[in-house]
């Protein structure tokens, strides 16, 4: 491999990495909210599958996540990808010894430098995810998720008030995850999911999927 | 929030919005959206019939002349073998005066359609120059304007009368990879669809901007599925860049048999190198 090939490989890898985060529907969350006075911090490595040209492509997507306890039954937090940020809250609706049900509304803004069939580098997403935890044992928890996200995806000229090329999308999705408690304040979570985006005027777009691992640890907030 | 600093928090969102607006304040491209023009044409061939005898081959060249800045160097390149005597030259990133000058120096007829105006106020478009009569021509608007300037891309089609046989030739300039591979495949398919039913002999040549991973393979697959042969297959990289060489320029054909092909990598006034294909004639 010549230096030219190395430079080219680095350039292409950088390009591919920057397009990945914004395509991921991964949230890597369970239904149990973070207790008041603590913060959960997580590092995720997701693999995402998406339409590239007329074929399917796969990319890694690293993410940082955090959740901060805000009340007895709710927390807030977000996830940071390479070129995007999503913030939201999570509200626990039902809880017993086996089951926890929560809903997690969120809003996110992503820059997508390279798009596929459409010209829409700016993506604003707003929606919610319902999360259901089923505790299999002391250390294992199964999480099912259902989400509905609405997106405004447009060209950079949208910031100048020119919306030609802007699309409105609705993306229902689903996820299934399993979490294993490694220690009192350490959790490993594996999750897979999909989204079925619909462009409101043009119809279905190709399904996007993801799978990933998250290592999350909890620490007490400073007083 | 600390006491005494709320103004900072209040000022942050408008400042961020202003910064974003400045960062994204690229001027919009001025596109030529009409279906029929602007159109420029000329005929600098020597008076009289082209040739009494049928040719034994037809040579097609495609050349992106990088904003038509170094026209003299391009003319020198097009006057030396293996490009000298080309029957058809498909050119991209051209303006009207550069096309006319090249046609005049080489003794060719031409048709040129600009797609948009460049930042230096020169036109930016595609041309076809031919040793044979151009009997019809039109432009094809390609879908998916670029998302930063909303710049439009086009293809220019000409019907050439090669010794009594009509041949459809297209000069293409697809969008750069900021439009995404799916969008560029849509652009290529738009051209293929526009040529349907126009005749059995077709050549589609130009800059397909296939620098991103996988785009070359999917572009070739699309043309192959639609009955086109990759006539310039195997010529290698056609552009030099800081990231290395890229194969961006192609010739696809239908109904014609390619005999020889190549890239002229000597300096020609552009970051692109001219690609040539010699087809057997009669088809």
């Amino acid at each position: 491999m010549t230096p030219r090939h190395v430079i080219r490989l680095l350039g292409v890898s950088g390009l591919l990495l920057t397009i990945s985060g914004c395509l991921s529907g991964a949230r890597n969350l369970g239904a149990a909210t973070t207790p008041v006075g603590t913060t959960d911090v997580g590092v995720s490595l997701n693999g995402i599958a998406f339409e590239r040209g007329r074929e399917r492509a796969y990319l890694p997507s690293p993410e940082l996540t955090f959740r901060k306890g805000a009340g007895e039954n709710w927390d807030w937090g977000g996830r940071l990808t390479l070129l995007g940020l999503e913030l939201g809250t999570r509200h626990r609706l039902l809880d017993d010894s086996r089951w926890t049900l929560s809903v997690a509304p969120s809003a996110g803004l992503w820059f997508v430098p390279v798009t596929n069939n459409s010209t829409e580098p700016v993506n604003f997403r707003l929606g919610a995810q319902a999360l259901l935890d089923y505790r299999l044992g002391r250390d294992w928890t199964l999480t099912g998720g259902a989400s509905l996200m609405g997106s405004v995806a447009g060209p950079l000229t949208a910031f100048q008030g020119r919306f030609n090329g802007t699309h409105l999308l609705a993306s229902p999705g689903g996820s299934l995850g399993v979490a294993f408690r490694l220690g009192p304040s350490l959790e490993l979570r594996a999750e897979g999911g999909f989204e079925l985006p619909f462009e409101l005027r043009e119809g279905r777009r190709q399904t996007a999927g993801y799978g990933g691992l998250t290592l999350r640890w909890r620490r007490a907030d400073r007083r | 929030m600390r006491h005494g600093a709320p103004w900072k928090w209040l000022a942050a969102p408008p400042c961020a919005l202003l910064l974003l607006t400045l960062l994204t304040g690229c001027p919009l491209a001025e596109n030529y959206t009409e279906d029929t023009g602007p159109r420029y044409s000329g005929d600098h061939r020597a008076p009289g019939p082209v040739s009494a005898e049928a040719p034994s081959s037809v040579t097609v060249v495609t050349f992106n002349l990088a904003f038509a800045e170094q026209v003299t160097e391009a003319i020198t390149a097009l006057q030396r073998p293996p490009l000298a005597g080309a029957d058809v030259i498909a050119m991209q990133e051209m303006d009207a005066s550069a096309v006319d000058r090249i046609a005049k120096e080489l003794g060719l007829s031409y048709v040129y359609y600009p797609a948009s105006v460049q930042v230096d106020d020169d036109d930016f478009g595609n041309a076809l120059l031919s040793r044979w009569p151009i009997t019809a021509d039109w432009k094809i608007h390609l879908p998916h304007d670029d998302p930063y300037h909303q710049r439009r891309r086009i293809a220019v089609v000409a019907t050439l009368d090669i010794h009594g046989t009509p041949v459809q030739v297209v000069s293409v300039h697809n969008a750069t990879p900021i439009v995404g591979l799916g969008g560029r495949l849509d652009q290529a398919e738009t051209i293929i669809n526009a040529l349907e039913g126009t005749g059995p002999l077709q050549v589609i040549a130009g800059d397909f901007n296939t620098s991103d991973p996988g785009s070359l393979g999917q572009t070739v697959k699309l043309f192959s599925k639609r009955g086109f042969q990759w006539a310039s297959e195997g010529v290698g990289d056609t552009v030099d860049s800081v990231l290395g060489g890229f194969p961006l320029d192609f010739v696809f054909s239908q109904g014609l048999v390619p005999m020889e092909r190549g890239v002229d990598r000597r300096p020609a006034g552009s970051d692109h190198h001219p690609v040539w294909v010699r087809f057997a004639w009669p088809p």
Side-chain angles (χ1 to χ4, degrees):
Chain A
M1 183 177 273
T2 64
R4 195 180 82 158
H5 287 111
V6 173
I7 292 171
R8 186 171 168 178
L9 186 66
L10 286 173
V12 167
S13 304
L15 180 73
L16 289 178
L17 277 177
T18 57
I19 75 170
S20 59
C22 39
L23 298 166
S24 169
R27 285 178 194 84
N28 299 306
L29 279 180
T33 54
T34 305
V36 178
T38 62
T39 300
D40 290 341
V41 178
V43 177
S44 303
L45 181 62
N46 299 316
I48 57 172
F50 60 99
E51 178 191 22
R52 172 162 167 70
R54 295 177 182 182
E55 295 176 359
R56 191 158 287 281
Y58 304 89
L59 281 178
S61 172
E63 291 181 7
L64 292 175
T65 61
F66 75 96
R67 308 296 305 185
K68 194 172 173 59
E72 191 183 344
N73 289 314
W74 72 287
D75 63 13
W76 70 278
R79 62 190 183 109
L80 183 69
T81 66
L82 286 168
L83 286 174
L85 174 68
E86 184 179 74
L87 293 173
T89 57
R90 180 171 50 177
H91 304 267
R92 190 167 55 193
L93 304 177
L94 296 170
D95 197 18
D96 68 16
S97 59
R98 284 264 178 210
W99 301 89
T100 302
L101 176 66
S102 294
V103 64
S106 63
L109 186 66
W110 281 277
F111 178 67
V112 189
V114 177
T115 58
N116 198 21
N117 291 349
S118 304
T119 49
E120 45 196 33
V122 181
N123 281 244
F124 176 70
R125 283 162 63 99
L126 187 67
Q129 185 180 31
L131 296 160
L132 183 65
D133 273 359
Y134 177 69
R135 279 172 284 282
L136 298 166
R138 199 169 67 88
D139 295 326
W140 292 89
T141 303
L142 197 64
T143 303
S147 60
L148 179 62
M149 302 300 292
S151 307
V152 179
L156 278 184
T157 50
F159 288 105
Q160 299 169 315
R162 300 178 174 95
F163 295 98
N164 183 27
T166 300
H167 295 86
L168 296 173
L169 297 117
S171 304
S175 63
L176 187 64
V178 61
F180 177 67
R181 187 159 295 284
L182 296 167
S185 57
L186 199 60
E187 178 191 82
L188 183 66
R189 175 175 289 275
E191 183 178 300
F194 64 93
E195 282 196 347
L196 302 163
F198 286 85
E199 208 284 331
L200 294 186
R201 280 165 297 186
E202 296 167 9
R204 263 294 300 281
R205 288 191 176 179
Q206 198 163 336
T207 304
Y210 65 89
L213 274 178
T214 300
L215 186 64
R216 180 174 286 124
W217 60 95
R218 177 166 295 167
R219 65 183 186 84
D221 294 336
R222 282 186 203 160
R223 295 186 185 277
Chain B
M1 194 182 296
R2 284 184 186 168
H3 191 66
W7 63 273
K8 289 182 183 173
W9 294 90
L10 290 173
C15 285
L17 193 60
L18 180 64
L19 180 66
L20 197 55
T21 304
L22 289 173
L23 285 173
T24 61
C26 313
L28 285 190
E30 184 183 339
N31 293 318
Y32 293 113
T33 56
E34 305 85 353
D35 286 333
T36 53
R39 173 186 179 275
Y40 301 84
S41 65
D43 192 347
H44 297 293
R45 294 175 301 147
V50 180
S51 171
E53 289 183 19
S56 59
S57 67
V58 168
T59 301
V60 175
V61 173
T62 180
F63 186 23
N64 177 327
L65 183 54
F67 301 101
E69 297 290 341
Q70 298 184 47
V71 178
T72 304
E73 289 82 349
I75 291 169
T76 303
L78 292 166
Q79 284 176 324
R80 69 190 173 210
L83 309 178
D87 293 271
V88 189
I89 306 172
M91 300 196 78
Q92 301 86 39
E93 298 196 12
M94 300 302 290
D95 58 51
S97 61
V99 176
D100 189 72
R101 188 177 154 203
I102 293 169
K104 193 177 283 181
E105 293 278 348
L106 301 180
L108 302 172
S109 60
Y110 72 87
V111 60
Y112 166 69
Y113 288 86
S116 62
V117 179
Q118 262 303 335
V119 285
D120 62 358
D121 283 338
D122 281 346
D123 279 346
F124 182 87
N126 309 5
L128 282 162
L129 298 87
S130 171
R131 192 163 302 288
W132 301 92
I134 296 171
T135 57
D137 60 81
W138 74 98
K139 76 170 169 181
I140 303 168
H141 290 281
L142 302 183
H144 306 301
D145 297 347
D146 93 60
Y148 296 87
H149 304 272
Q150 298 194 349
R151 186 174 300 286
R152 173 74 51 88
R153 297 298 177 118
I154 63 166
V156 170
V157 189
T159 305
L160 308 185
D161 177 359
I162 300 184
H163 213 262
T165 303
V167 179
Q168 308 298 326
V169 184
V170 186
S171 177
V172 184
H173 194 188
N174 268 4
T176 64
I178 59 170
V179 162
L181 179 54
R184 280 171 287 143
L185 292 173
D186 285 352
Q187 293 181 336
E189 192 152 50
T190 299
I191 298 163
I192 296 170
N193 291 340
L195 286 190
E196 260 185 356
T198 58
L201 306 182
Q202 299 178 357
V203 177
I204 301 177
D207 176 0
F208 288 80
N209 270 313
T210 48
S211 54
D212 47 331
S215 57
L216 186 154
Q218 289 200 43
T219 302
V220 169
K221 196 182 280 184
L222 169 66
F223 275 96
S224 177
K225 247 185 211 170
R226 299 294 300 270
F228 281 84
Q229 181 178 2
W230 182 12
S232 58
E233 182 177 6
V235 300
D237 295 338
T238 64
V239 168
D240 291 328
S241 78
V242 290
L243 293 177
F246 291 106
L248 306 192
D249 304 272
F250 300 83
V251 179
F252 296 100
S253 64
Q254 199 172 66
L256 293 163
V257 179
M259 300 188 302
E260 289 180 275
R261 53 182 71 88
V263 176
D264 186 352
R265 292 199 170 81
R266 291 168 291 179
S270 175
D271 54 337
H272 289 249
H273 303 299
V275 175
W276 59 273
V277 175
R278 204 175 318 285
F279 293 98
W281 195 270

